[in-house]
Structure formats: structure tokens, C-alpha cells
Amino acid sequence: MPNWVYTDPEIFARENERIFGANDWLYVCLEAEIPKPGDFQRSQLGTREVVAVRGRDGEINVLLNSCAHRGMQFCVSDHGSAKEFICPYHQWTYDLAGNLLGVPFRRGYRGQGGMEADFRPEAHGLQRLAVTCRHGVVFASFGAPNQSLETYLGPDMLGWFDRVFDGRDLVVLGHMRQRIASNWKLMFENIKDPYHASLLHVFLVTFGLFRLDQQSAIEMDDTGRHGALVSRRGEQKLNEATAQMSAFRQDLRLADPRLLEPVKEYPGEITVVLQTLWPNLIVQQQSNGLAMRQIVPIDAQNFDLVWTHFTYADDPPEMIQRRLRQANLFGPAGLVSADDGEAMILSQAGIAGSDDAECLVEMGGREVANAPHTVTETAIRGFYQHYRAVMGL
Ligand code: FES
Ligand SMILES: [Fe+2]
């Protein structure tokens, strides 16, 4: 893997066009963030900003946050409720579907100025993206996808997706947002790399939340672009595997064990599913911690990670408390995730200035295939197999 894929501004521009700006389905937000007509939520797809808004008919529109007049971002609140959108600059007014309703001084003033007689407001609405929703999750595309979301995910990935999004209504518990000084692809690599999890994370390893001696697997769709890392919880005990992990600390105890104390809520024995959905979403189910992690590229060497923690609308208060406590593992200062943020920053710093050098992704072999264990980088290879096809590299 050449280092320039993480540093070259031209590669970044091509990614923005071919990956974020084409026919793929990109994660936008949860429907629970915009429950009522008029509710809106801003989001970023690649480097472009959009506004997801629920129209009067209950349908969700995703509009480019760029006025049809001079391109200004017309929506400046992160979220809220609106009857219509009025661009602050010259107050062009749009309805919730992005149609242009009004242009001040369209016919000039006292017979002078104004728009030409052939100006047609219907030709100057906001850019509207293709939208699809599944079980409360909103996706959009700048292009004209010829695949349903279900086909795009493929049957196996759809199965993992529906495990968390089973049709129950969702409620948002809160957001976290952090800027990480690394290329956006390193975030996907991090989640597709279970090899590090047993070595880097004292918290995961010690308390048995994820470790290579536990039953686990890597799955991908046919293209390799989407993946799922699945695992089953273990114990804090010394064995042949943990003996090799310097991060394993038998002497550590939680002062308040309620921080973990997971309860089983899904069928089967699996307790962790981290799903990476091309090109901008990680669905996280670790114990009872549920979150969307949206990847927002800023430039070749920076991205934002936006966390949306959620719960089911029918959850009792104790479960909500449990999810909130477990949320301490995640985010910029999370007991686990802080390690990953630091690792990505140090990775980017380590490759800076060595654009033509290469790094190695050969753990577990050189092929791309599902694996019934996690001592492998196969999912990273799968990601780049698809990446190269899309990018023409
Ligand atoms: S830029 Fe929006 S009204 Fe002029
Ligand atoms: Fe990690």
C-alpha cells in the first residue's frame, strides 16, 4: 500500500468525486433526528454539506446546503424545525422539498432591475439528492443509484444491519464529534483491523470485551467494500493468548463495575458487531453501546468523526442508563476509542513526508476472504480491492 493514498490532495479530490459524489448510498442521519414535518438535520457527505428535512408529506428530502442563487449555505443551524428555508444573503425562499418559492425584487423596483422576464423559479430549486431509508436510517446519493440499498449492502451485510435496525423506533441519546488529524480511510482500516484490538486496547483486552482468543469472525460482502467484525465476549483470565498481550492486566479492577455489566439483547451468542458500510458509516454494537459513526473527510490529512448514540424507543430507563454508561468507552475521550484516535494520528504523522514508501497489509495472508478468526487484515484488503476498482488505481 503506497503512502500517497493517505496524503495526496489529487487522490482526495478523486475520492470526493468517485466515492462520495457518485452512485453509492451514503449515510445521512437517523430518521429519529427529524421525527416531525419541518424537522431538519445538517450532515456532511464527503466534503459537501446537506440538509435532511422531513417534508409536510412525511417524506425525507436531502438537499444540498447551497443556495441556487450564489451558492451560500442557506441553513446555518445544526438542526431545528422550519416551515421553509430562507437564504440569509438575498432571502431567496425555498420550500421543504427545495423548490424556489420567492425571489425578493424579482420584478425590480419601480420598473428598474429585477430578473429577466424569462426567469423560471422552477428551474432554480435546490439540488435534491436521491434518498432511501431502511428501518429508521437515512441514506442519500448525489448520483442516480441503480441499486436498492438492500442490493447495495448484499444479503449478509443486510442481515447484520437488520440485527440492530430491526424496525423498532429509535431515539437519539446524544452526539459526539471529533476532528482526527489523519486520512479518513484510516478510520475504516481501524475498524476492519481486529489485529490491533487485542494489542492496543488495555480496556478491551483486560475486561474481555474483544480479544483474539474469543470466538470471532470477519465477514464481507461480495465486493469487499462492506465488512462486519463479529465477536463474543470473554473473561478477564490469564491464558495462552492473554499471556502474549502486554495490554492484558489481571490486576486492574473497575471501581464501578456497572460501567460494563452488559445484558443480552440480541439472538445468539455474539456480543459485538462492528459494521463498516462503504463509504462513510460504521454501525457500532459493542455490548449495549449502540452508535453510528459517520466519517466526514475534511482533506487528505483530516477527517471528522460524528457519533450518534441511540436507543430503542421502547427501552426501559435502566437500559437507557446502561447504554449511557457504556458510551464512556467511546468518543474522543472514550476508554477504548481514545486509543484509536491517537493511533490514527500517529499513523498519519509516521507516513508524512514518505509518500512513495509502502506499508504492509499481509496479516492472515494476501487474499480477500471471510475469516473465522481475527488474526487477519483481510477486511482491509477487501476495502482496497474495491477502492482500487472505483479509483482506477
Ligand atoms: S446567495 Fe442565497 S439568496 Fe443570494
Ligand atoms: Fe481499536
Side-chain angles (χ1 to χ4, degrees):
M1 183 79 62
N3 284 349
W4 46 259
V5 298
Y6 307 107
T7 55
D8 186 344
E10 284 179 23
I11 288 290
F12 182 78
R14 199 190 299 181
E15 289 172 346
N16 212 37
E17 176 195 331
R18 294 194 186 187
I19 296 175
F20 296 96
N23 292 332
D24 290 333
W25 287 117
L26 313 182
Y27 169 70
V28 179
C29 64
L30 295 175
E31 283 201 53
E33 292 174 277
I34 46 174
K36 296 190 298 297
D39 289 353
F40 66 85
Q41 171 73 45
R42 273 161 74 191
S43 184
Q44 284 95 2
L45 308 182
T47 58
R48 284 185 278 187
E49 186 168 296
V50 296
V51 182
V53 57
R54 195 177 288 273
R56 293 200 193 295
D57 53 3
E59 292 297 301
I60 290 173
N61 303 311
V62 176
L63 309 168
L64 187 69
N65 190 6
S66 177
C67 178
H69 179 218
R70 304 297 303 278
M72 183 185 187
Q73 287 190 344
F74 60 86
C75 180
V76 292
S77 304
D78 248 1
H79 56 89
S81 189
K83 289 194 169 59
E84 57 199 11
F85 291 114
I86 304 175
C87 178
Y89 210 174
H90 315 89
Q91 290 166 25
W92 284 29
T93 302
Y94 303 92
D95 70 13
L96 300 178
N99 300 304
L100 179 58
L101 297 178
V103 172
F105 303 117
R106 177 178 165 191
R107 302 193 202 289
Y109 179 65
R110 293 188 171 167
Q112 291 182 304
M115 302 298 281
E116 292 289 338
D118 62 0
F119 175 75
R120 292 170 44 243
E122 57 275 23
H124 298 279
L126 300 169
Q127 183 182 339
R128 216 170 136 173
L129 280 70
V131 178
T132 189
C133 299
R134 184 170 177 88
H135 298 172
V137 187
V138 182
F139 294 84
S141 176
F142 284 104
N146 55 8
Q147 283 186 320
S148 67
L149 178 74
E150 291 72 16
T151 309
Y152 175 71
L153 296 180
D156 296 342
M157 291 301 124
L158 190 62
W160 291 119
F161 183 88
D162 284 353
R163 180 173 184 267
V164 171
F165 304 105
D166 57 7
R168 275 183 283 171
D169 285 342
L170 307 176
V171 174
V172 173
L173 294 177
H175 295 94
M176 298 190 282
R177 191 180 187 108
Q178 65 188 118
R179 180 152 300 180
I180 298 180
S182 89
N183 185 274
W184 64 275
K185 296 188 291 300
L186 288 174
M187 184 69 244
F188 271 128
E189 291 189 28
N190 176 268
I191 300 291
K192 290 172 184 283
D193 161 18
Y195 177 35
H196 85 277
S198 288
L199 301 163
L200 175 72
H201 297 301
V202 172
F203 204 89
L204 278 193
V205 169
T206 298
F207 300 114
L209 291 174
F210 183 90
R211 238 176 22 220
L212 58 75
D213 59 313
Q214 296 162 201
Q215 185 196 338
S216 48
I218 300 290
E219 288 186 15
M220 287 170 269
D221 73 323
D222 288 346
T223 68
R225 62 187 165 185
H226 311 303
L229 187 164
V230 301
S231 183
R232 175 181 160 175
R233 188 165 192 237
E235 299 164 328
Q236 184 177 7
K237 74 168 189 246
L238 196 62
N239 61 25
E240 196 194 333
T242 54
Q244 293 184 55
M245 298 174 193
S246 61
F248 180 77
R249 297 277 305 274
Q250 210 172 7
D251 55 319
L252 289 183
R253 291 283 171 273
L254 289 174
D256 184 349
R258 290 178 309 163
L259 182 65
L260 294 180
E261 283 183 354
V263 296
K264 180 173 156 58
E265 58 177 327
Y266 300 105
E269 299 300 314
I270 298 296
T271 57
V272 184
V273 180
L274 294 176
Q275 204 176 12
T276 42
L277 298 183
W278 174 278
N280 72 335
L281 176 64
I282 296 156
V283 180
Q284 169 207 303
Q285 182 256 309
Q286 162 60 278
S287 304
N288 307 105
L290 298 175
M292 310 303 256
R293 303 189 199 181
Q294 183 184 0
I295 297 173
V296 179
I298 303 297
D299 56 31
Q301 314 219 30
N302 292 280
F303 74 96
D304 280 354
L305 187 58
V306 183
W307 306 67
T308 306
H309 290 265
F310 60 91
T311 189
Y312 300 107
D314 57 6
D315 278 335
E318 308 82 71
M319 181 57 109
I320 294 174
Q321 266 310 318
R322 188 182 306 275
R323 295 199 207 281
L324 288 171
R325 278 196 298 266
Q326 292 182 12
N328 284 299
L329 274 59
F330 309 107
L335 294 164
V336 176
S337 301
D339 306 345
D340 293 312
E342 189 73 6
M344 286 179 263
I345 292 166
L346 293 175
S347 294
Q348 190 76 27
I351 60 181
S354 311
D355 281 7
D356 291 325
E358 293 191 348
C359 56
L360 201 61
V361 196
E362 296 188 358
M363 183 56 76
R366 298 200 178 95
E367 78 289 358
V368 172
N370 290 354
H373 61 83
T374 52
V375 200
T376 178
E377 291 167 326
T378 186
I380 300 178
R381 291 190 289 276
F383 176 87
Y384 282 104
Q385 169 184 286
H386 185 69
Y387 177 86
R388 289 183 69 172
V390 172
M391 292 286 285
L393 294 171

